[in-house]
Amino acid sequence: MVRNERYRKNAISVRERHNERKNEVYSNPDVLLEHSHNNVIFQACEAPTYAQKFDRMVADGIVSTRGLKPDAYVFDELVFDVNTDYFETHGGYEYAKSFYAEAYKLAKEIAGGEQYIISAVMHADERNREASDRLGRDVFHYHLHVVYLPVVEKQIRWSKRCKDPALRGTVRETVMQVSHSKKWPMIPLTDEQGQPVLKKNGKPRLVSSYSQLQTRFFEHMQQAGFTDFERGIQGSTAQHLDVLEYKVQQDRQAVTMLADQKRQLQGQKKELVSQIGAISGSIRDVQDIEANAKVKGVLEKRVELPPQDYRTLCEMAKASGKLLAENRSLRKQLEQSRMRAQDLRQRLERCEVRLAALREETAPYREAMRTAPQQVQTFLLGIQRRQQAEQQLNRAQRRQRAKGQER
């Protein structure tokens, strides 16, 4: 599958830190930074940050922000993702590199050229826990992140106020305008038969045009010779889960399986208890079974059982208790995972609110520094000097008052 996400300039740093592995700690415990050297960089960001790279491209005239609102979406990200088992059955890491090298070619076509791509990196340091446990070795989930600027060609025409009548209405210049909405316009949604999907009022249901990326990605890779994989479900409304939500979902499934096993064990336990009661009403716990299992012959006048049967019965009872204890431990771990996920979300929300407030508060200063840095520095230096002079005057006045009191 492939998906396209949009980001504002003040929010892209979150994706940057994840994609470029700038974080020291990740909410996803399966990110193993000691394996990050295996990540493949198809396009490196030539600036310290994505936002600074964007500003450079605007300043150099590569892209234009004419007509954009301050909070417009100026970054898009393509995420190409394929099931881990596909790569494991076709050669693993090396096959994944060649696969995503071809996928990157498609990304360049989608972006309109490599000059509009900010960063492209294949992650090979995220461990697939399920596959690793199943295969008995470390297995990594390979996927590709491509951050780019959504641009469209825009013609700037001479206005009616142009002094030369011959130029009025003609093209004055052509710019590459940053515009997510024009790059990915809304189009009618169709079903599997290609028929438009209608709303209750009879009008066609509209979706973003990047909903067709699944088909484009699938066909491109098939033509390039990469087969034996299935496309994402067309028209699917399934929501993409973040890493924590996905892992919690997996834990829930594990708990459901354990609950089924628990019910089965409880049924076996009832049978065992019934058998134990029939064998001897005096046997109350596993220790009694182990002690009496050593005795050959008749345990009760009414029932006789070979020692091997008692040993088997003892092992089954102990196994039942052990599995029940493991089930309780897993439930506790799941609850802790949920609490950690909730805490991390709350902390992130608080940080984002504080960051947004700080950016809004400092916006006039940053704008002033951008347009007139020398004047701002002179103004701040003047304020600092006045404050120092006032402090010196206050100290002098305090010393004079102190001398007067001593007299």
Side-chain angles (χ1 to χ4, degrees):
M1 53 82 71
V2 57
R3 68 179 188 274
N4 190 85
E5 302 286 347
R6 59 182 185 175
Y7 297 96
R8 295 184 173 91
K9 184 180 177 182
N10 60 3
I12 194 62
S13 60
V14 176
R15 299 308 308 158
E16 177 187 335
R17 292 195 301 272
H18 174 80
N19 293 358
E20 306 300 330
R21 293 299 189 244
K22 293 184 177 181
N23 292 333
E24 295 181 359
V25 179
Y26 289 85
S27 59
N28 179 5
D30 293 325
V31 174
L32 306 181
L33 296 180
E34 61 269 25
H35 292 274
S36 295
H37 63 277
N38 291 325
N39 293 346
V40 180
I41 299 175
F42 294 107
Q43 174 73 342
C45 180
E46 300 173 352
T49 66
Y50 290 176
Q52 290 178 354
K53 175 63 175 179
F54 172 78
D55 291 338
R56 287 183 187 178
M57 295 176 68
V58 174
D60 294 341
I62 300 176
V63 297
S64 172
T65 58
R66 183 179 302 183
L68 283 187
K69 296 180 180 179
D71 62 343
Y73 294 98
V74 295
F75 289 94
D76 274 23
E77 181 185 36
L78 291 167
V79 181
F80 297 89
D81 200 352
V82 179
N83 186 278
T84 301
D85 287 336
Y86 172 74
F87 293 120
E88 287 303 304
T89 56
H90 287 78
Y93 176 68
E94 294 298 330
Y95 188 84
K97 287 198 299 183
S98 61
F99 181 93
Y100 284 122
E102 184 62 40
Y104 179 60
K105 294 180 182 179
L106 174 61
K108 289 189 289 186
E109 294 179 9
I110 294 172
E114 194 171 29
Q115 66 272 27
Y116 305 117
I117 293 180
I118 303 296
S119 171
V121 56
M122 184 193 89
H123 282 167
D125 57 357
E126 296 184 22
R127 185 175 180 270
N128 186 312
R129 189 185 308 179
E130 185 276 330
S132 299
D133 294 343
R134 173 163 44 86
L135 299 178
R137 56 182 173 83
D138 283 341
V139 177
F140 293 90
H141 179 62
Y142 308 116
H143 53 282
L144 174 64
H145 294 269
V146 181
V147 178
Y148 67 101
L149 303 183
V151 296
V152 294
E153 186 179 280
K154 181 178 181 179
Q155 294 180 340
I156 309 299
R157 298 180 180 274
W158 290 98
S159 68
K160 296 179 179 180
R161 295 188 300 271
C162 179
K163 295 181 179 180
D164 187 351
L167 294 177
R168 295 172 186 172
T170 61
V171 177
R172 185 177 66 182
E173 61 176 325
T174 300
V175 298
M176 299 305 295
Q177 183 188 35
V178 178
S179 175
H180 172 84
S181 59
K182 293 181 180 178
K183 177 73 173 180
W184 300 106
M186 303 299 288
I187 59 174
L189 176 66
T190 57
D191 56 21
E192 296 180 354
Q193 288 73 34
Q195 299 298 320
V197 178
L198 303 180
K199 297 189 289 187
K200 293 182 179 179
N201 58 8
K203 295 182 179 180
R205 187 179 300 276
L206 300 179
V207 296
S208 180
S209 54
Y210 52 66
S211 62
Q212 298 178 343
L213 279 175
Q214 299 283 26
T215 300
R216 188 173 178 182
F217 174 44
F218 178 76
E219 293 177 349
H220 177 90
M221 300 307 294
Q222 289 279 322
Q223 293 175 2
F226 293 92
T227 57
D228 299 335
F229 72 97
E230 298 178 359
R231 73 179 302 284
I233 300 175
Q234 188 171 5
S236 173
T237 58
Q239 183 178 5
H240 175 71
L241 302 178
D242 62 30
V243 174
L244 281 175
E245 290 173 338
Y246 172 76
K247 292 186 180 299
V248 169
Q249 185 184 79
Q250 294 296 102
D251 289 342
R252 287 174 179 169
Q253 294 177 357
V255 169
T256 301
M257 294 176 60
L258 287 172
D260 293 338
Q261 295 178 7
K262 179 181 177 180
R263 285 192 292 270
Q264 295 176 4
L265 290 172
Q266 287 175 339
Q268 295 176 7
K269 181 179 178 181
K270 290 180 180 179
E271 294 179 3
L272 291 173
V273 170
S274 177
Q275 293 176 14
I276 292 172
I279 293 171
S280 174
S282 64
I283 297 177
R284 301 300 181 189
D285 52 30
V286 174
Q287 287 75 16
D288 292 335
I289 298 176
E290 290 177 333
N292 290 321
K294 300 177 182 179
V295 181
K296 296 183 179 181
V298 178
L299 292 178
E300 292 288 338
K301 293 181 178 180
R302 292 170 299 173
V303 179
E304 182 177 6
L305 194 68
Q308 181 60 39
D309 291 345
Y310 283 104
R311 285 193 290 270
T312 301
L313 184 62
C314 173
E315 294 299 326
M316 292 178 67
K318 288 192 294 183
S320 174
K322 182 179 179 181
L323 286 173
L324 290 174
E326 291 178 352
N327 182 263
R328 289 192 295 269
S329 175
L330 286 173
R331 283 182 176 274
K332 183 177 180 180
Q333 293 178 18
L334 175 60
E335 185 62 28
Q336 292 175 348
S337 175
R338 290 172 178 166
M339 293 176 62
R340 286 198 301 269
Q342 183 178 2
D343 180 62
L344 287 172
R345 291 194 190 93
Q346 292 175 350
R347 289 170 57 186
L348 177 60
E349 290 175 358
R350 289 194 298 267
C351 289
E352 289 178 343
V353 171
R354 291 172 58 189
L355 178 60
L358 182 61
R359 287 184 176 276
E360 182 177 359
E361 183 179 351
T362 59
Y365 169 75
R366 290 185 283 108
E367 179 63 20
M369 283 295 296
R370 187 182 68 82
T371 56
Q374 188 63 38
Q375 290 87 335
V376 173
Q377 291 178 1
T378 302
F379 175 72
L380 294 177
L381 183 60
I383 294 177
Q384 184 180 7
R385 288 174 178 173
R386 286 196 296 272
Q387 290 177 343
Q388 291 175 351
E390 290 177 358
Q391 292 173 358
Q392 293 175 357
L393 179 60
N394 291 336
R395 286 196 294 269
Q397 291 175 349
R398 286 196 298 270
R399 285 196 296 268
Q400 289 179 358
R401 286 195 297 269
K403 289 180 180 179
Q405 290 176 358
E406 291 176 356
R407 293 176 183 175

